[in-house]
Structure formats: structure tokens, C-alpha cells
Amino acid sequence: MIEGVAALIVRGTIPDREIGDAVLGDLLEEHAEVAVARGRFAADGWLAWQLVRSFPYFHQVGRRAPATLRDTGAFAVRFYRGALLVNALGLGGGLVIVRAWRDWPAPLVVAFAVAIGFVAGHLAARLLPRAPLFVALAVGTIAAATAGSAMSSGAIVVSALRVAALPCLALAAIGGGLVRVRALLPAS
Amino acid sequence: MFYILKYMTPVVPSLGDFELAVLLSLVSLDEAYGAVIRRDVSERLDRDCSIGAVYTTLQRLEEKGVLRSWATEPTPMRGGRSRRCYALTRTGARALREARAPRERLLAELREAM
């Protein structure tokens, strides 16, 4: 179970497949060693803790620095195009939710937030295959922040269930990204 | 201008403490790859390091030309995945030698100050 989660996180966050394979192999090798020495439960805990601590680094691993001016230009174009897309999906998702927030009953808003988050996260991860989990997380966060700021402006009546839609939205976006990452995993 | 900038950058890069620990691991290990480097650095620094921090540092050092890496044959023990092994380059060896003097100066000053 935890090995599968590790594979998903590594595949979803490390852009370079070769480096991702090496990192995953190292993690699973140490996990097996810890399992022999201290038991399966301790090994799973060790792996989970490694993943949590390594998560902020994974996006940098495997990302090569641009070598030439032309590469730098191409990198800048890709970066801004990606950033624009992530922001558009996040803002769009957030605004659609705010629209729904106004008229719909709270349980329906939560369901709608989950659906919008999932679709936006999945789309972003599909369109930006380098580090899809980070992209999905960014979309979810932007969408949740947009909806949250509209709520805090006082324009919308807030109930606990409506507030609960915000983290649901962000988590659903990651879920959408994860589905995409699963498709990127090798068949074996 | 890029030509000038290229030759203005130091030939031997300076090393941070974590980078130094990683390079010392590389020197002491027979087959240096992510998992064993992580364990060795953790022992050296007396704290548990994450694999992400180690790989980020390894990549940065490779970009500085301090070390080189290559992939080994995939092994069944790692689920058919290959290891990424690392070794010091000549520039790396020079960087290690040159890392000593400034640290010795700092240590001497620290001893005086304490």
C-alpha cells in the first residue's frame, strides 16, 4: 500500500523519469531493509516520514538548469504558459464555485467543489505532465483561495458545510492529479 | 559578454556544509548511490537526512561539475529499477582540498573566541 503511494508521489512530482526511478528504488530498498530490521509497521512509518520530508525537494530533483540563452527562453515560455494555465484553471474553478455558492444548498456546493476540483486538477496534470501533482495542488489551492476570498468579502452567507468545501476542493484537485499520475505509471 | 561571465565564475566551486558531507561520503563509499549516501551523511551530520535533500544536493553538485553520475543495470531487488551512482570529478577533488583552508581558519577563530 505505502509502496504504491510512494510510487505515485515520486512519479507525480519528479519530472525526470530516470532520476525518479533511482529515488523510488532507493526508498523501496531502504524500506525493505528497515522492514527486516524493525518490522513492517516501522518500515511503513519510516517511508511515510521520508516522503513527507522529501516532498518539498522532489520538484527540484531532476530539473536541469537551462544551459543556453535559447534554452532559457524556451524554459521561460514554458514556465509562464504553465503558470498562466494553472492560474486560469484555479481562478475559473474558484469563480464557478462562488457562482454556485450563492444559490445552491450547502451539500450540493461541497459535491460541486469536489467535482470541479477533480476535473481542474486532472486537466492541469494532463496538460502539464512535468510534476503533475504539484500542478494539481496549485490549481486546488488557487481555486480554494479564490472561493475563500469571495466568501470572506461577506457577499456569500457562510455555513460550516460551505467552508468545508474549500479543503475538499483542494484535495479533489490532488485526486484528479493522482488519477493522471496512475496513468503514467509503468504497467509492471 | 557570456564569454567574460563564464571566465569570471570560479573554476573550483565553494562548498556548503551539507555539500561537503555528501562529497566526503562519495570519497569513503565504494559504490555511492542515493540510499547509502543518505545513510552515510546522516551518520556524519548526526541527524536523519531526507532522500529528497540528498538528491537535490547531488544534482546541484553535478551541475557545478563537482561529481558525475551514471545509471547501473536494473536489479530485481529494486523492482527492476536501476541505481544512480555518483563519483567525484577532478574539480570535485580540488573543491574538497580547497574547502579545508577556510574551515580551518574559522575553526581557529572559533577556538580563540570561546
Side-chain angles (χ1 to χ4, degrees), chain A residues 2-187:
Chain A
I2 187 81
E3 294 95 324
V5 174
L8 282 174
I9 291 176
V10 170
R11 287 267 175 270
T13 50
I14 297 183
D16 189 310
R17 195 174 184 87
E18 200 178 308
I19 302 279
D21 264 355
V23 172
L24 191 57
D26 285 338
L27 280 172
L28 297 183
E29 187 180 318
E30 277 205 83
H31 175 256
E33 285 170 14
V34 177
V36 169
R38 286 158 43 199
R40 175 85 194 179
F41 186 71
D44 287 353
W46 175 86
L47 184 55
W49 184 229
Q50 275 292 323
L51 288 170
V52 168
R53 292 177 60 211
S54 295
F55 192 77
Y57 295 103
F58 280 161
H59 194 47
Q60 299 164 40
V61 176
R63 171 168 283 183
R64 302 283 171 201
T68 64
L69 196 61
R70 192 177 164 185
D71 286 348
T72 310
F75 171 77
V77 168
R78 276 201 306 273
F79 176 80
Y80 286 111
R81 200 174 53 192
L84 202 69
L85 183 71
V86 166
N87 278 294
L89 281 168
L91 275 171
L95 291 174
V96 170
I97 286 163
V98 169
R99 180 91 185 143
W101 233 296
R102 202 160 288 174
D103 315 317
W104 293 3
L108 200 60
V109 171
V110 175
F112 189 68
V114 168
I116 283 284
F118 188 86
V119 171
H122 185 69
L123 262 180
R126 257 190 105 83
L127 295 171
L128 296 167
R130 289 173 72 89
L133 271 190
F134 273 106
V135 176
L137 180 64
V139 168
T141 309
I142 293 167
T146 312
S149 62
M151 268 170 46
S152 63
S153 69
I156 298 158
V157 182
V158 181
S159 71
L161 205 56
R162 281 167 197 268
V163 174
L166 295 179
C168 290
L169 167 72
L171 288 173
I174 299 173
L178 273 174
V179 170
R180 178 60 190 156
V181 175
R182 272 177 69 87
L184 295 174
L185 287 175

Side-chain angles (χ1 to χ4, degrees), chain A residues 18 26 29 53 62-63, chain B residues 33 48 55 59 78 84:
Chain A
E18 200 178 308
D26 285 338
E29 187 180 318
R53 292 177 60 211
R63 171 168 283 183
Chain B
Y33 63 96
D48 189 38
Y55 267 97
Q59 184 176 316
R78 293 163 61 90
R84 187 139 208 100

